[in-house]
């Protein structure tokens, strides 16, 4: 049978269907694939950029040069730092409100039903739509941006917290009660440790949305931050600057996400809900 | 019995909505009607907008979403299937896709306008950008999460590669793809609002932006409530589709 | 007469939310101090319902459930519960931390806690596994941790809900022998739920058979006189097995009607 002969080939592990049996080791050293995909990406990019002007589609080389310049003169760090600080502060405010509210919603059905008309409705409204109210209420200063990020974080974290409480294993509560624990003991020994991974997961989801929100807010009304950097570069058609800022946003988002996963793994390496993936 | 149900189920809803609306109205009359439009102002705004081109504004936004979302999903599902099926493709594309996912779509707006002009195409592109990576990743995960023994069962009955693919892998991946599309739809709504606010000439986002610059807070209120309702409606559609196409199996291994 | 370890009298329990017939009705059972009682019956007959009431997780619709002569008001440390699956262990705690939950709740000094952990790990045969997390332990080991966790509170009553049902046959046999050994040291009263007739006969002083549900109650009871440790091929066990099996088969048929 041809399949049998095939099974001895090392290439089977990368070309055969992922569900086929007996996957062997990758025939290539580990660094090859990332390098190959980077080369592929750069080649496709160069090819596309070659057909356009730098003010429309900058080449990888032009972007790299611009990145070096912006790193050297500190522009990129300054704007990235401002965006990151807004995100962190807004997240802290939103989380500080969301966790108690989520816990209360999970623990008290009455309170949950009181909140539901809002949580169920407002979470479908893109946070950025609130920018119009935010600007009217808080002006174009920092407060409106913090409000937007906090607003954004609130829904993701409160919903995740509530879900975490709802998913607490009933038999663990019963176990603590039958070991002589009080309600307070069940809260400290069971509910809290069960919910923290969900809170982290909620922050992780909320962080992705918060990035989109902060960029829009900085485009619409700000004089610093990566969103502002992108939009102000438009006036001079500096597409290389725009791409550097976009990549910086991607890297910042990736770093934040990986940080959440690392923290969650560290704290809860034996109990992560499956949402965290492998 | 009925009274208990009322106290338990209905009362909290009524109570909280009443409190919220009451607080709002209080803020409107006591603080500043420019900050918090009175409820009757909102009502008048709604009627004046509705008798104007509100329907057309909604349809333009929805059409842009549908175009970008549809094109991107049509591309994303096959790419995701391929990435899930062939390890080499996963290793080549997995890294870039995972990175692009972290780029806020609205950050692409300047590039999109440079490429396509301040036009519908630019906005459709942004919607597509919001959709494609999320759907690709979820579809791929669907393939990788296919229950191993179901594949073995099909192989045991003599199924070849394509039969396994059509009979087992695809049906298992579809609910995951739909879950991805549901998430992507939320992102698409967020993007359309930002994009129309920044570079739009029409649509719900434009309506909001215009209302802000002319300080017609009643219109803002109407726009936001409409967005919420549209968001809920599209989400229900995907929830229905997910239930219909075996979403309950999606989590199982 | 001295008060029993536990006593159900005329207990009914209906889950009104479902509007069904009560799971158990007029259920009477008395468990003496130090007695090992196995509750046997077809699935859905309300065995677990009875245990839940004695544990205090739920309240009877009518009738009374007494523990040492006092009505059960809620869960407490004097009635240790061994749950059916392993999901009641805290996956974020190690084996030792799991078994010390009770002492921790009672604020036992740390030095004493260490002594308790050492003694109990030895008692359930898990020396050297204390630092492992539940996910790293086998099914049998996890159930031993559950048993040790309960024993750490020195309860006078053990409530066990099919604790060995998910284990493979070899492990189950071994766990049964271990349980008898542990029980003969501390001699708590035990209410042990199972649907395995053999298991009941190896463990119990008295095997109580329930009728098919709903509206279930005790149908009959058998005293098991054979001395422990029991031999699975003891003719007295074999004879009792035949008799109980006959009653069970009858109830099983009734349940299917």
């Amino acid at each position: 049978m041809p399949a049998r002969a095939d099974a001895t080939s090392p290439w089977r592990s990368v070309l055969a269907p992922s569900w086929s049996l007996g996957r062997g080791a990758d025939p290539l050293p580990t660094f090859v694939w990332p390098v190959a995909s980077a080369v592929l990406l750069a080649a496709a990019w160069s090819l596309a950029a070659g057909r356009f002007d730098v003010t429309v589609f900058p080449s990888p080389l032009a972007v790299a040069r611009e990145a070096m310049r912006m790193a050297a003169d500190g522009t990129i760090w300054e704007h990235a730092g401002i965006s990151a600080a807004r995100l962190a502060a807004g997240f802290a405010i939103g989380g500080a409100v969301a966790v108690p509210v989520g816990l209360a919603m999970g623990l008290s059905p009455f309170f949950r039903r009181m909140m539901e008309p809002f949580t169920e409705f407002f979470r479908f409204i893109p946070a950025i739509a609130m920018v119009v109210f935010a600007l009217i209420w808080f002006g174009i200063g920092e407060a409106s941006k913090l409000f937007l990020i906090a607003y954004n974080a609130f829904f993701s974290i409160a919903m995740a917290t509530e879900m975490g409480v709802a998913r607490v294993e009933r038999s663990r509560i019963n176990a603590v009660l039958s070991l002589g624990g009080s309600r307070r003991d069940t809260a400290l020994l069971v509910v809290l440790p069960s919910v923290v991974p969900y809170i982290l997961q909620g922050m992780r989801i909320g962080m992705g949305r918060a990035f989109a929100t902060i960029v829009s807010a900085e485009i619409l009304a700000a004089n610093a931050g990566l969103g502002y950097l992108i939009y102000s570069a438009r006036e001079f058609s500096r597409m290389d600057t725009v791409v550097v800022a976009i990549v910086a946003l991607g890297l910042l988002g990736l770093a934040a996400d990986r940080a959440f996963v690392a923290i969650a793994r560290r704290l809860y390496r034996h109990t992560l809900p499956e949402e965290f993936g492998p | 019995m009925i009274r208990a149900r009322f106290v338990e189920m209905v009362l909290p809803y009524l109570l909280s909505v009443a409190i919220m609306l009451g607080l709002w109205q209080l803020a409107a009359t006591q603080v500043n009607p420019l900050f918090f439009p009175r409820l009757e102002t909102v009502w008048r705004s709604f009627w004046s907008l509705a008798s104007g081109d509100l329907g057309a504004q909604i349809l333009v936004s929805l059409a842009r979403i549908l175009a970008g979302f549809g094109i991107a999903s049509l591309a994303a599902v096959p790419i995701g299937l391929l990435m899930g099926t062939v390890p080499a493709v996963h290793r080549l594309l997995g890294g870039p896709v995972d990175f692009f996912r972290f780029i806020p779509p609205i950050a692409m707006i300047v590039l999109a306008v440079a490429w396509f002009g301040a036009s519908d195409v630019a906005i459709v592109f942004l919607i597509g950008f919001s959709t494609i990576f999320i759907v690709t990743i979820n579809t791929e995960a669907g393939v990788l999460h296919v229950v191993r023994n179901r594949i073995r069962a099909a192989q045991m009955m003599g199924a070849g590669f394509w039969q396994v693919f059509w009979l087992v892998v695809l049906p298992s991946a579809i609910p995951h793809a739909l879950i991805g599309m549901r998430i992507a739809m939320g992102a698409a709504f967020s993007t359309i609002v930002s994009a129309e606010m920044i570079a739009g000439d029409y649509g719900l986002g434009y309506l909001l932006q215009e209302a802000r610059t002319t300080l017609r807070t009643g219109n803002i209120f109407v726009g936001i409530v409409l967005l919420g309702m549209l968001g809920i409606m599209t989400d229900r559609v995907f929830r229905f589709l997910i239930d219909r196409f075996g979403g309950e199996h999606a989590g199982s291994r | 007469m001295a008060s029993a370890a536990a006593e159900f009298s005329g207990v009914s329990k209906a889950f009104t939310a479902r509007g069904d017939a009560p799971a158990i009705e007029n259920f009477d059972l008395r468990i003496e101090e130090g007695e090992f009682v196995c509750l046997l019956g077809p699935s859905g007959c309300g065995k677990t319902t009875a245990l839940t009431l004695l544990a205090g997780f739920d309240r009877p619709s009518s009738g009374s459930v007494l523990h040492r002569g006092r009505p059960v008001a809620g869960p407490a440390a004097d009635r240790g519960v061994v749950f059916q699956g392993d999901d009641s262990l805290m996956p974020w705690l190690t084996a030792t931390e799991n078994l010390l939950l009770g002492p921790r709740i009672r604020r036992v000094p740390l030095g004493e806690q260490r002594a308790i952990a050492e003694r109990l790990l030895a008692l359930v045969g898990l020396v050297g596994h204390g630092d492992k997390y539940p996910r790293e332990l086998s099914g049998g080991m996890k159930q031993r941790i559950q048993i040790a966790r309960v024993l750490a509170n020195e309860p006078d009553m053990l409530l066990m809900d099919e604790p060995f049902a998910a284990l493979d046959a070899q492990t189950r046999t071994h766990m049964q022998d271990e349980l008898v050994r542990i029980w003969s040291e501390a001699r708590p009263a035990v209410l042990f739920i199972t649907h395995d007739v053999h298991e009941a006969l190896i463990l119990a002083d008295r095997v109580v058979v329930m009728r098919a549900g709903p509206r279930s109650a005790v149908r009959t009871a058998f005293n098991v006189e054979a001395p422990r440790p029991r031999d699975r091929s003891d003719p007295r066990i074999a004879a009792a097995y035949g008799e109980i099996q006959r009653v069970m088969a009858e109830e099983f048929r009734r349940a299917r009607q």
Side-chain angles (χ1 to χ4, degrees), chain A:
Chain A
M1 243 162 74
R4 187 167 285 276
D6 204 12
T8 59
S9 153
W11 290 99
R12 191 180 147 77
S13 64
V14 288
L15 293 175
S18 60
W19 56 80
S20 63
L21 297 168
R23 267 196 274 170
D26 193 325
L28 299 171
T30 44
F31 68 86
V32 173
W33 288 107
V35 169
S37 78
V39 167
L40 188 75
L41 194 68
W45 183 358
S46 304
L47 210 66
R51 318 185 57 190
F52 297 99
D53 188 71
V54 69
T55 57
V56 176
F57 208 136
S59 70
L61 211 65
V63 170
R65 232 181 284 125
E66 175 67 1
M68 304 275 262
R69 187 189 69 75
M70 291 168 74
D73 72 6
T75 329
I76 192 75
W77 308 121
E78 186 197 329
H79 290 284
I82 287 170
S83 292
R86 283 174 180 152
L87 283 167
F91 238 71
I93 298 169
V97 183
V99 170
V101 171
L103 286 175
M105 283 178 74
L107 294 171
S108 154
F110 190 86
F111 186 67
R112 197 193 74 226
R113 293 202 186 94
M114 274 196 66
M115 292 300 290
E116 248 171 16
F118 308 112
T119 53
E120 280 302 297
F121 186 72
F122 282 96
R123 77 192 169 95
F124 287 103
I125 297 173
I128 192 58
M130 295 305 281
V131 80
V132 283
F133 271 133
L135 291 175
I136 289 174
W137 290 341
F138 301 105
I140 55 167
E142 283 307 303
S144 58
K145 271 134 236 151
L146 291 186
F147 167 79
L148 275 180
I149 300 300
Y151 175 88
N152 195 329
F154 172 82
F155 285 102
S156 308
I157 298 173
M159 303 313 302
T161 308
E162 186 207 346
M163 191 212 266
V165 177
R167 288 204 189 161
V168 170
E169 198 69 58
R170 183 71 220 178
S171 65
R172 288 185 193 137
I173 302 257
N174 277 342
V176 165
L177 288 174
S178 76
L179 290 169
S182 60
R183 286 201 69 84
R184 213 178 129 250
D185 287 320
T186 62
L188 288 176
L189 295 172
V190 186
V191 178
L192 208 59
S194 307
V195 169
V196 173
Y198 286 89
I199 294 176
L200 287 171
Q201 175 70 4
M203 291 179 139
R204 207 181 147 201
I205 293 168
M207 191 52 99
R209 296 192 192 137
F211 268 81
T213 309
I214 194 73
V215 171
S216 312
E218 286 174 350
I219 287 178
L220 285 166
N223 43 27
L226 289 170
Y228 165 79
L229 187 63
I230 287 174
Y231 212 58
S232 60
R234 171 196 63 121
E235 287 168 32
F236 310 101
S237 288
R238 289 303 300 263
M239 292 305 141
D240 46 354
T241 313
V242 171
V243 174
V244 172
I246 289 174
V247 172
L249 272 168
L251 289 175
L252 207 57
L254 187 71
D257 188 71
R258 292 295 183 268
F260 276 117
V261 176
I263 292 171
R265 290 246 168 85
R266 192 74 198 245
L267 288 174
Y268 289 93
R269 69 202 143 103
H270 295 283
T271 55
L272 276 190
E274 60 185 291
E275 285 88 343
F276 273 90

